[in-house]
Amino acid sequence: QVQLVESGGGLVQAGETLRLSCVASGRTFSSAVVGWFRQAPGKEREFVAAITWTGTTTVYALSVKCRFTISRDNAKSTVYLQMNSLKPEDTAVYYCATGALGLYGDTFLHEESQYDTWGQGTQVTVSS
């Protein structure tokens, strides 16, 4: 019922900046939260950041708390991930995902189980 398209990835050097975009289309009214996850080769997918479509709730992984900023533009149905001071360990495929707020509200935005629709991913590579 909702489609997500990520863009903005690329190859950068350590210390540089990228801005990822996630554009949502379709029946977005049933998706209350948008999260960013990433997966590096040989590793499990991990949570990066999340934001609700309404309200002011944002959540960040500790590893990106002071470097990444998640934001939204409701009119454009777009969520952004501003990534500053990129490190080689940030190298991964970045996915955006949406989900509904259920019984526990925004308590578990960091959990993959919160999300039911995923984008195709965009590659971020940070060289040292």
Side-chain angles (χ1 to χ4, degrees):
Q1 62 182 15
V2 59
Q3 297 80 45
L4 304 174
V5 179
E6 305 99 328
S7 62
L11 173 62
V12 299
Q13 293 184 240
E16 294 185 342
T17 296
L18 283 174
R19 186 200 194 200
L20 306 184
S21 299
C22 175
V23 180
S25 61
R27 299 177 63 192
T28 58
F29 56 84
S30 62
S31 299
V33 59
V34 178
W36 286 97
F37 292 77
R38 65 187 183 186
Q39 186 168 27
K43 297 184 178 180
E44 296 184 349
R45 187 157 55 190
E46 66 175 349
F47 172 77
V48 178
I51 190 170
T52 53
W53 283 115
T54 60
T56 58
T57 300
T58 58
V59 183
Y60 296 92
L62 288 176
S63 60
V64 306
K65 176 70 174 179
C66 297
R67 299 183 295 119
F68 293 8
T69 302
I70 188 169
S71 62
R72 64 176 186 259
D73 185 334
N74 289 2
K76 297 180 179 180
S77 297
T78 301
V79 172
Y80 305 97
L81 185 67
Q82 179 73 31
M83 306 187 296
N84 298 328
S85 302
L86 283 163
K87 304 175 180 179
E89 50 263 45
D90 295 318
T91 295
V93 176
Y94 283 70
Y95 300 90
C96 69
T98 65
L101 293 177
L103 181 63
Y104 297 100
D106 58 4
T107 303
F108 299 105
L109 300 189
H110 61 288
E111 296 287 349
E112 188 171 321
S113 60
Q114 176 73 62
Y115 305 90
D116 54 25
T117 302
W118 297 78
Q120 84 289 345
T122 185
Q123 176 71 50
V124 172
T125 303
V126 184
S127 62
S128 59

